Amino acid sequence: PRVDWVTPFEERTGCEVSVKGARDAQELTDLMGNDSRQYDGVLAPPEAAGRLISAGDVAPVNPNLVEGYKKLEPRLRDLLKRNDKVYGVPYTWGSNLLMYDTRNMDSPPNSWASLFDPERARKYSGKLVIRDSPLTIAEAALYLRSKRRDLKISDPYALTREQLDEVAEILAEQRPHVKQYWETAADAV
């Protein structure tokens, strides 16, 4: 309600916009996978974008029609490219934050090892609150990339079977120490 992007877009383009929200990435993936859907576009989070592309539930787009596309960092532009076709435009980027309570930690965390190293996780057993998302797998892969260089993890979003198995083992070791898995930031708070 505070930011009306729809009206100016409709006036400038002559397009009619109808917005349908989804609770989470899974609901969004289900909506887009429904053959009777009537959607011309989707604003997909990272954990859904790759699945939608792989399943053929989204069509390539013409990035030349997107103002400012060529000014985006090349690495960001390539995130949604498959076989030289562009399937989306990154609309935002951000950091994966690691929050902690200064009353419960001797020193601030300085790496993903604070969450994923089994000994460190054990130290905070019952106090860890972890995001319930495929992005957590990528975060664990980042931890494992620095701990197990022999796995040669170059992209935490595109793991080999061996890499994924090792990441799954790390997450399984962490599991007994997790108080809660959250889906929305409000759940974490």
Side-chain angles (χ1 to χ4, degrees), residues 71-106:
K71 293 179 184 177
L72 286 173
E73 178 70 30
R75 183 161 193 239
L76 292 176
R77 289 193 311 246
D78 291 344
L79 288 174
L80 298 170
K81 189 185 258 187
R82 304 291 188 277
N83 301 322
D84 292 324
K85 292 181 182 176
V86 176
Y87 285 86
V89 178
Y91 59 91
T92 187
W93 65 272
S95 302
N96 292 342
L97 302 177
L98 181 58
M99 297 186 325
Y100 63 98
D101 185 340
T102 57
R103 298 169 297 181
N104 292 324
M105 295 191 77
D106 303 331

Side-chain angles (χ1 to χ4, degrees), residues 12-83:
R12 191 173 81 238
T13 64
C15 295
E16 182 181 324
V17 175
S18 176
V19 178
K20 176 168 181 55
R23 286 188 320 268
D24 55 32
Q26 185 59 53
E27 182 180 353
L28 180 92
T29 303
D30 293 344
L31 283 168
M32 293 303 294
N34 182 339
D35 290 336
S36 65
R37 69 182 186 275
Q38 297 291 318
Y39 307 111
D40 294 318
V42 60
L43 184 63
E47 60 267 36
R51 283 190 278 169
L52 293 171
I53 295 167
S54 295
D57 291 331
V58 291
V61 297
N62 181 350
N64 295 323
L65 299 176
V66 179
E67 186 177 321
Y69 181 80
K70 291 184 172 130
K71 293 179 184 177
L72 286 173
E73 178 70 30
R75 183 161 193 239
L76 292 176
R77 289 193 311 246
D78 291 344
L79 288 174
L80 298 170
K81 189 185 258 187
R82 304 291 188 277
N83 301 322

